[in-house]
Each structure stands twice: as structure tokens, then as C-alpha cells.
């Protein structure tokens, strides 16, 4: 009996820790949430874990660790909002390039992809440190600092992505559908349609809706 009690307490502690992390990321007061994690919040927490698991399974997700930017917020109307960054959507659905089409609902047109995530990815993978000779064999690059080389490589990668685009990894929409099904089944019918997703790009557009 004591063993089961300890197991239950451990699970509750894990869920409380998870909600603490979500609150920290969302920037809202913990007082917004009920002390005992209710079923809706628990299912949304599961959704975040599904996304995290699928992203961790992707070998070349450009900004690893960014799942921390996916969070849940309860507003003053008791509406559940799921917030995140645009690359979560784009890398899941893919983006058509200016020269290649991947059948995505998202496309590059007159604006190139942001440079900062590419720079972060190059640094994380230590591409310059491990491959100076591979990328910068010409003596003209000898006077370049590592930062200069990183920026140059990032610019070249960004232009390639802009032209060719990339195929989606498929982890977002399938888990959104799963979330809605879980809410409809475990709580009440049509509740899944009431969850709001706010995944904005740098121009203020909610990219989750574009499908």
C-alpha cells in the first residue's frame, strides 16, 4: 500500500513540476491554475510531451530545445491557449521554396527565412569548429573570424532554404488532431474545438491557422 501511495505522490510531483515549467514559459501566475491538475490541463500537458517526443526523434530539427517555447496559458475567460514559435509549425508542415514545391500550405515569397535560427543551429552542431577546411578551403577566408565564417555559412544556407524550401516532418497537425480526440473522448464532445492555438511568425500572423 505504501508503495502505491509513493508512486502516486511521485506522479503528482512530476505533473506539478511540468505545470510549473509551463507557467514559467507562458509568463502567467500559477494562481491561474487549479492546485490539482485538472483533466483538461493534464491532456494539454500530454500534448506538449507528444510534440517534444516527436521533435526529439527528428535528427535535423533546426533549433533543438525550442520545445521550451511551447506552453499553455489560461486567460481570464478560462480559455486554454497553446502558444509557441513559428518554426514548430514550419518544420512540421514544410515550406515551399521559390524554385521547389513540396506541397506545403506555407511558401517563401519575397521574404527569406530568418537568419538567427540557422546561426544557432550551426553553433549547436559546431559546424565551423569541426569543418573549417570543408567550408572555407580558399586562402581568401584565412583572415575571417569564426563569427564571420558562421555568418557567411548561415547566409548561404538561408539562401538555399529560400530557393529549395524543405519537406515537413509531420509532427504538429497529427498531434493537434490527437489532442482534440482526447479532449472530446475524455472530457466532453466538441471541447477539442475550443482550444486556441497561437503560433505567431515575426510579422504577427497566426501560422497555425494557415492550412
Amino acid at each position: 500500500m505504501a508503495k502505491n501511495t509513493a508512486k502516486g505522490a511521485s506522479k503528482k510531483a512530476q505533473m506539478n513540476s511540468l505545470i510549473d515549467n509551463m507557467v514559467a514559459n507562458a509568463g502567467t501566475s500559477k494562481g491561474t491554475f487549479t492546485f490539482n491538475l485538472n483533466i483538461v490541463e493534464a491532456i494539454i500537458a500530454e500534448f506538449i510531451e507528444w510534440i517534444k517526443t516527436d521533435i526529439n526523434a527528428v535528427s535535423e530539427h533546426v533549433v533543438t530545445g525550442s520545445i521550451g517555447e511551447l506552453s499553455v496559458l489560461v486567460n481570464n475567460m478560462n480559455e486554454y491557449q497553446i502558444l509557441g514559435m513559428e518554426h514548430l509549425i514550419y518544420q512540421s508542415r514544410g515550406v515551399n521554396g521559390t524554385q521547389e514545391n513540396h506541397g506545403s500550405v506555407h511558401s517563401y515569397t519575397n521574404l527569406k527565412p530568418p537568419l538567427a535560427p540557422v546561426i544557432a543551429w550551426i553553433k549547436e552542431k559546431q559546424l565551423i569548429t569541426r569543418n573549417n577546411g570543408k567550408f572555407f578551403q580558399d586562402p581568401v577566408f584565412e583572415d575571417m573570424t569564426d563569427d564571420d565564417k558562421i555568418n557567411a555559412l548561415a547566409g548561404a544556407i538561408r539562401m538555399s532554404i529560400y530557393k529549395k524550401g524543405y519537406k515537413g516532418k509531420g509532427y504538429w497537425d497529427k498531434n493537434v488532431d490527437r489532442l482534440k480526440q482526447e479532449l472530446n473522448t475524455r472530457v466532453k464532445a466538441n471541447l477539442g474545438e475550443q482550444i486556441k492555438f497561437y503560433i505567431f511568425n515575426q510579422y504577427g500572423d497566426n501560422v497555425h491557422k494557415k492550412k
Side-chain angles (χ1 to χ4, degrees), residues 3 35 61 103 117 183:
K3 184 176 181 181
F35 179 76
H61 195 269
L183 289 168

Side-chain angles (χ1 to χ4, degrees), residues 84-158:
M85 303 299 289
E86 60 183 308
H87 61 267
L88 292 172
I89 297 291
Y90 294 147
Q91 291 199 47
S92 176
R93 295 177 181 165
V95 181
N96 301 318
T98 58
Q99 297 177 359
E100 294 186 19
N101 189 306
H102 300 288
S104 173
V105 295
H106 305 287
S107 299
Y108 292 119
T109 52
N110 58 320
L111 298 172
K112 296 180 177 64
L115 194 60
V118 182
I119 291 175
W121 179 77
I122 290 172
K123 290 180 177 179
E124 180 179 332
K125 298 296 184 180
Q126 298 183 329
L127 295 183
I128 295 302
T129 302
R130 290 186 292 115
N131 296 290
N132 273 333
K134 177 179 179 180
F135 293 116
F136 299 96
Q137 294 179 349
D138 195 300
V140 73
F141 297 115
E142 288 181 357
D143 293 333
M144 292 178 67
T145 66
D146 280 354
D147 283 343
D148 289 337
K149 292 176 180 178
I150 288 171
N151 289 332
L153 180 58
I157 292 174
R158 178 172 71 164

Side-chain angles (χ1 to χ4, degrees), residues 47-119:
F47 164 76
I48 292 176
E49 290 301 311
W50 301 335
I51 295 290
K52 179 189 294 187
T53 298
D54 284 354
I55 283 179
N56 288 338
V58 176
S59 60
E60 294 299 332
H61 195 269
V62 171
V63 184
T64 57
S66 58
I67 189 61
E69 296 161 352
L70 182 62
S71 53
V72 59
L73 173 68
V74 184
N75 66 16
N76 56 11
M77 296 169 53
N78 288 326
E79 175 186 78
Y80 292 91
Q81 301 176 344
I82 295 176
L83 304 90
M85 303 299 289
E86 60 183 308
H87 61 267
L88 292 172
I89 297 291
Y90 294 147
Q91 291 199 47
S92 176
R93 295 177 181 165
V95 181
N96 301 318
T98 58
Q99 297 177 359
E100 294 186 19
N101 189 306
H102 300 288
S104 173
V105 295
H106 305 287
S107 299
Y108 292 119
T109 52
N110 58 320
L111 298 172
K112 296 180 177 64
L115 194 60
V118 182
I119 291 175

